[in-house]
Amino acid sequence: MARGELRIYLGAAPGVGKTYTMLEEAHRRAGRGTDVVVAFVETHGREHTAAMIGGLEVIPRAEVQYRGAGFTEMDLAAVLARQPEVAIVDELAHTNVPGSRHAKRWQDVHDLLDAGISVLTTVNVQHLASLNDVVARITGVEQRETVPDAVVRAAEQVELVDMTPEALRRRMAHGNIYRPEKIDAALGNYFRTGNLTALRELALLWLADKVEQQLGKYRADHRIDTTWETRERVVVALTGGPEGETLIRRAARIAARTKGADLLAVHVARNDGLAGADPAALARQRVLLEDLGGSYHQVVGADVPRALLDFARGVNATQIVLGASSRGRFAQLFSAGVGVTTTALSGSIDVHLVTHERAGRGRRDRQSSAALSRRRRLAGFLAVLIGFPALTALLKIGTGLSLTNDILVFLAAIVGVALIGGLWPALLAAVTGSLLLNWFFTPPVGRFTIAAGENLLALAIFVIIAAAVSWVVDTAARQTRHAAHAAAEAQTLATVAGSVLRGQRPLPALLERLREIFTLDSVTLLDHGTVAAQAGQPACLRAADADAEVSADDNLTMLLKGRPLRASDRRIVEAFAAQATLALRQEKLAAEAATAKPLAEADRMRTALLAAVSHDLRTPLASAKAAVAGLRAEDVHFDDADRAALLETADESLDRLTRLVTNLLDMSRLQAGALGVAATDIGADEILPHALDDLGPEARIIRLHVPDDLPDLRADPGLLERVIVNLAANALRHSPPERPPVITASALAAYVEIRVVDHGPGIPEDRWDDVFLPFQRLGDRDNHTGVGLGLALARGLTEAMGGTLTPDHTPGGGLTMIVSLPVADAA
């Protein structure tokens, strides 16, 4: 059975018309004879959307019971049994009621697709998992229902349902999205023009990435290697040389000329295992690149120009930025160089050769040091000066050897010298051997003249072969040494990376690892002259006191004490310094994030506060004003009963307003740490009746059980009363009329527990912490009964008195809030 196809209608915000557009497509398919059913559509009370369902077959929803309350969900089993060609499933990111087959609706959709049923569905950009935190920072509203990006990206079709912010706000103002009482709050908060513009841009950019992914797949499937300039992509090639920063900045300026251009850097590493670029320089350049919004990549290849172009074509690059060749003119006569070769092979990709300070000055190879030690080179020279005369004497004593055999013996000796001392002793051996062969073994003997032409050719070939063999042997030795050094460096850096990644504080771990590897007494990192981090003792505060100094960047210096630093070790220490710079930068960013988090939380709370009180302050004020205005009206006459009713309305409204303002003030005092607590010994039987009286007549149904032998508790009477009022009000709001709340008190060890029990729908255990967040109305069907401060304030006040407030399940369904405070004697 072929798998069904998934088509997703993506929107930037609620109300743009995703569901309506999806239903239009359903009618078009049904008109063409396709078997289409509505598996689940949420109209949110919108008349035009509800009207679009007409004429389509609707699968009845499944009834799901959870904690004594009834909910409706898509009947997955019924849809699978019906086996339509196309199913309409709204709200892909929806979380199913516990007890359903799957936790998420997108998992239900997977079952439908696996059964060969194509699905039309909808999702808003704020529900995409990768953008959830971004949307929360923009709007101040955290979306708890998310769908993995991979699910949406896997869809065969993603269609953006777009609308300008101005048009969406007009639709909101006309009442086509939310109910009238919600319009003002929505327009002033989530549906602000700036929010909608940012969400629209996020949706467009996300869809552009999806389209880019589809284009890349199409190019790969059809083996298209040429560049399609659908988006400007600038690739800068880095060698690890000092010109890298110049190239990065130049490439960034080129990319900045086009809106939405991508900046990528690539370093082509050699595939022979030899040390290539300076890792410290590459690390510094990577930091600069990321600061400019680019991304760093590394590929391996023997042919640098082809590896570079393969990468550029793979990412569909439009431009390549290269540094002008650092080689001298003489070297360029024998090889065109990377820049010229890349330009010749680039095809439709533009190549920029950027000049820099080192251009044309010749390379300064940091690895050009001798491959062999000084002792071995001296041994090679001694082997020539002592061994070759001895070899000559031995050959003169021997008989029966021809000139050809003599040449082979000397050639073997030259190879031996090359193995011992390297290139220069081997070249000396070649010259010395040719002279000895000419004088002692080539007729006429005893003269530097050669009688036979073939002997001259043999000696000439001998010199050439000897020089070539010497160069090959020395090069092999040099590469072996470099490969071993590179392997040691790689092993050291891998060990460092592992120890840093496993540590919670990477910077001290990095410095300690450096101290251990190089057997140092101490390593100190100075930031603008002050100690940023150190490992070991004693710390160095001045460069004059250190045995070695390594500059990490313009502001950071690493001082090493214990022993002088060898030149061969400086390269890897510089890599440590570059990594230390990154680690310090991460610590600073983490500290800044920790500092900004409370500010962001406060800003989020302010935003939520404005959204919440916009209605809750207006409602009691409007009620009180209407009652007072009615009493003052001269053209209307009220009897005593009506007058008493109006006064009661005004009194209740002002009481409600007073409680709201008091809650807000107490919450602000809690957050500022300025709440005064006057704890005293008091009995629960004194507090609980007063708290219920504050709730008014509606609290008369609450049942109260307090044992006579209950010990006194230690608390602030006023604050505890506020806690009970908020908990009892919450319990009243959620309990059914036939099962009113119950408040009990009991002693447990050194604590008195007051339990406020309701028999409502309850809350899942994984959401218990959420109910204590300010401005939350978790589980409320009605958004007009408070600002969502009650439980947050209750916990804050309880903890201020030295107690705890914890939720628990009510047997038979519901939620129990447990206030635990110390008994008077224990306190």
Side-chain angles (χ1 to χ4, degrees):
M1 179 185 296
R3 195 171 190 269
E5 293 187 355
L6 178 61
R7 181 169 184 172
I8 297 176
Y9 293 87
L10 176 67
V16 295
K18 303 179 301 299
T19 304
Y20 192 92
T21 306
M22 177 180 64
L23 291 172
E24 283 185 329
E25 175 64 19
H27 278 285
R28 279 194 291 271
R29 296 195 182 193
R32 295 196 297 264
T34 304
D35 184 11
V36 180
V37 300
V38 176
F40 188 95
V41 168
E42 186 61 68
T43 64
H44 297 286
R46 298 165 191 166
E47 297 179 359
H48 299 293
T49 303
M52 288 296 295
I53 301 178
L56 296 173
E57 179 184 348
V58 179
I59 302 293
R61 298 185 183 185
E63 293 285 341
V64 181
Q65 293 294 321
Y66 180 68
R67 297 194 182 280
F71 301 89
T72 60
E73 292 287 358
M74 179 179 71
D75 194 338
L76 179 60
V79 180
L80 291 172
R82 170 65 174 75
Q83 198 67 27
E85 294 180 66
V86 178
I88 309 301
V89 183
D90 207 2
E91 297 183 351
L92 182 64
H94 171 74
T95 300
N96 293 329
V97 175
S100 304
R101 179 183 297 188
H102 297 297
K104 293 288 188 177
R105 184 164 292 163
W106 60 265
Q107 295 171 317
D108 296 338
V109 168
H110 269 201
D111 284 358
L112 297 177
L113 297 174
D114 291 339
I117 302 172
S118 296
V119 176
L120 305 183
T121 187
T122 63
V123 70
N124 277 327
V125 70
Q126 67 263 29
H127 295 297
L128 296 175
S130 65
L131 300 177
N132 184 257
D133 58 334
V134 179
V135 174
R137 287 195 296 269
I138 293 172
T139 64
V141 179
E142 183 179 357
Q143 302 292 335
R144 300 188 181 277
E145 294 185 327
T146 60
V147 59
D149 286 48
V151 174
V152 184
R153 291 189 184 278
E156 282 73 17
Q157 296 183 62
V158 178
E159 179 178 332
L160 179 66
V161 182
D162 190 29
M163 179 175 287
T164 64
E166 294 76 14
L168 185 56
R169 283 172 59 84
R170 282 196 300 271
R171 179 178 288 184
M172 170 69 74
H174 293 158
N176 294 328
I177 301 177
Y178 288 164
R179 294 192 302 272
E181 63 270 15
K182 286 188 173 183
I183 292 176
D184 291 341
L187 289 174
N189 293 280
Y190 193 89
F191 281 79
R192 293 196 299 265
T193 302
N195 287 357
L196 296 177
T197 302
L199 292 174
R200 188 187 187 199
E201 182 178 14
L202 285 176
L204 290 169
L205 291 175
W206 191 94
L207 189 61
D209 289 338
K210 163 72 174 174
V211 173
E212 181 68 25
Q213 180 186 23
Q214 292 176 327
L215 178 61
K217 183 177 183 300
Y218 177 86
R219 284 163 48 85
D221 292 343
H222 292 78
R223 303 182 183 277
I224 300 174
D225 296 328
T226 59
T227 299
W228 287 7
E229 298 182 11
T230 55
R231 179 187 294 189
E232 201 72 34
R233 282 187 177 82
V234 182
V235 172
V236 53
L238 299 179
T239 63
E243 74 281 357
E245 294 186 2
T246 301
L247 300 181
I248 292 172
R249 290 190 172 93
R250 178 59 174 162
R253 290 195 296 271
I254 294 174
R257 295 171 185 170
T258 304
K259 180 68 175 178
D262 293 333
L263 175 62
L264 303 91
V266 60
H267 169 66
V268 180
R270 298 167 62 176
N271 65 353
D272 53 10
L274 301 183
D278 183 356
L282 281 177
R284 289 191 295 269
Q285 291 164 14
R286 182 172 184 172
V287 172
L288 174 62
L289 175 72
E290 292 173 351
D291 287 341
L292 295 175
S295 59
Y296 177 83
H297 306 268
Q298 183 165 314
V299 297
V300 177
D303 189 336
V304 174
R306 293 191 180 276
L308 175 60
L309 288 171
D310 288 343
F311 173 82
R313 293 190 178 103
V315 299
N316 202 23
T318 57
Q319 303 184 62
I320 297 176
V321 177
L322 289 167
S325 177
S326 300
R327 301 181 309 150
R329 294 182 179 178
F330 180 77
Q332 294 181 23
L333 294 176
F334 298 94
S335 175
V338 174
V340 175
T341 305
T342 302
T343 304
L345 301 176
S346 63
S348 60
I349 304 176
D350 297 334
V351 179
H352 303 266
L353 287 178
V354 179
T355 186
H356 50 88
E357 294 182 356
R358 293 293 309 157
R361 296 188 180 182
R363 292 179 177 175
R364 291 190 294 183
D365 192 355
R366 299 183 62 175
Q367 302 173 4
S368 60
S369 58
L372 302 176
S373 65
R374 183 178 180 182
R375 178 178 297 179
R376 289 188 59 177
R377 294 198 303 273
L378 289 176
F381 285 118
L382 289 176
V384 175
L385 297 177
I386 298 175
F388 272 47
L391 178 63
T392 301
L394 182 63
L395 291 175
K396 291 295 292 182
I397 294 174
T399 58
L401 292 178
S402 65
L403 178 61
T404 302
N405 292 327
D406 293 333
I407 290 176
L408 291 176
V409 170
F410 270 92
L411 186 60
I414 292 172
V415 172
V417 171
L419 291 173
I420 296 173
L423 178 63
W424 293 109
L427 291 178
L428 175 63
V431 173
T432 303
S434 65
L435 294 176
L436 291 174
L437 284 169
N438 191 352
W439 185 269
F440 290 103
F441 301 99
T442 304
V445 177
R447 299 171 58 184
F448 287 112
T449 58
I450 300 174
E454 61 271 16
N455 293 335
L456 176 63
L457 178 61
L459 284 176
I461 294 175
F462 166 79
V463 173
I464 293 173
I465 292 177
V469 169
S470 301
W471 180 80
V472 169
V473 172
D474 181 76
T475 300
R478 189 185 303 276
Q479 289 186 346
T480 301
R481 184 175 180 181
H482 286 167
H485 187 65
E489 286 186 354
Q491 179 63 34
T492 301
L493 293 175
T495 304
V496 169
S499 62
V500 169
L501 289 175
R502 288 189 295 269
Q504 294 183 348
R505 300 187 60 197
L507 186 55
L510 187 71
L511 299 185
E512 180 62 28
R513 195 66 182 173
L514 174 61
R515 190 185 69 82
E516 292 175 356
I517 290 176
F518 292 96
T519 61
L520 300 169
D521 294 336
S522 67
V523 179
T524 307
L525 184 66
L526 299 181
D527 184 5
H528 293 86
T530 61
V531 178
Q534 75 173 75
Q537 295 291 337
C540 284
L541 302 179
R542 298 183 307 166
D545 299 331
D547 294 308
E549 177 185 2
V550 176
S551 177
D553 62 15
D554 295 338
N555 302 320
L556 294 176
T557 303
M558 184 176 287
L559 302 181
L560 289 72
K561 188 172 182 61
R563 65 177 179 85
L565 190 65
R566 295 195 301 265
S568 59
D569 294 334
R570 192 171 188 86
R571 171 188 175 94
I572 194 167
V573 173
E574 288 178 349
F576 269 90
Q579 293 299 321
T581 303
L582 295 175
L584 180 60
R585 182 186 182 198
Q586 291 176 352
E587 288 192 0
K588 289 182 176 179
L589 290 175
E592 292 175 0
T595 303
K597 185 176 181 180
L599 298 177
E601 181 66 19
D603 184 65
R604 186 193 68 79
M605 290 190 62
R606 280 194 296 269
T607 302
L609 173 63
L610 292 174
V613 302
S614 61
H615 176 273
D616 293 273
L617 282 177
R618 188 190 306 114
T619 301
L621 284 174
S623 299
K625 181 175 177 56
V628 173
L631 291 171
R632 294 186 58 189
E634 297 179 355
D635 55 342
V636 179
H637 298 283
F638 297 100
D639 56 22
D640 292 341
D642 292 336
R643 185 178 298 274
L646 289 174
L647 288 174
E648 184 179 0
T649 299
D651 185 58
E652 290 178 354
S653 298
L654 293 175
D655 285 344
R656 179 181 173 187
L657 182 61
T658 301
R659 287 195 297 269
L660 174 61
V661 173
T662 303
N663 280 346
L664 293 172
L665 291 176
D666 284 347
M667 179 57 69
S668 65
R669 293 191 187 102
L670 277 173
Q671 292 178 337
L675 182 69
V677 179
T680 185
D681 297 344
I682 192 169
D685 55 347
E686 300 177 49
I687 293 294
L688 297 179
H690 286 294
L692 298 184
D693 287 342
D694 286 346
L695 286 174
E698 62 180 357
R700 295 172 183 169
I701 64 173
I702 297 178
R703 290 179 293 170
L704 188 62
H705 299 289
V706 181
D708 294 335
D709 58 348
L710 184 71
D712 289 346
L713 53 87
R714 187 75 175 175
D716 184 312
L719 298 184
L720 180 55
E721 186 176 325
R722 298 293 311 289
V723 171
I724 301 303
V725 166
N726 282 307
L727 295 179
N730 187 72
L732 280 170
R733 188 178 308 122
H734 293 91
S735 291
E738 66 277 7
R739 302 190 69 187
V742 178
I743 300 180
T744 65
S746 61
L748 180 64
Y751 290 89
V752 172
E753 289 187 347
I754 300 174
R755 294 172 175 263
V756 181
V757 183
D758 71 58
H759 300 282
I763 297 173
E765 189 170 343
D766 59 350
R767 305 295 299 276
W768 279 355
D769 289 337
D770 297 340
V771 301
F772 295 107
L773 298 176
F775 313 112
Q776 295 292 322
R777 301 188 185 91
L778 190 63
D780 284 5
R781 303 296 183 91
D782 178 14
N783 283 348
H784 313 304
T785 54
V787 295
L789 275 177
L791 295 181
L793 182 60
R795 170 172 276 189
L797 295 178
T798 303
E799 292 176 349
M801 293 185 290
T804 61
L805 175 60
T806 55
D808 195 7
H809 293 297
T810 299
L815 183 69
T816 297
M817 287 293 182
I818 306 172
V819 179
S820 182
L821 291 165
V823 300
D825 292 341

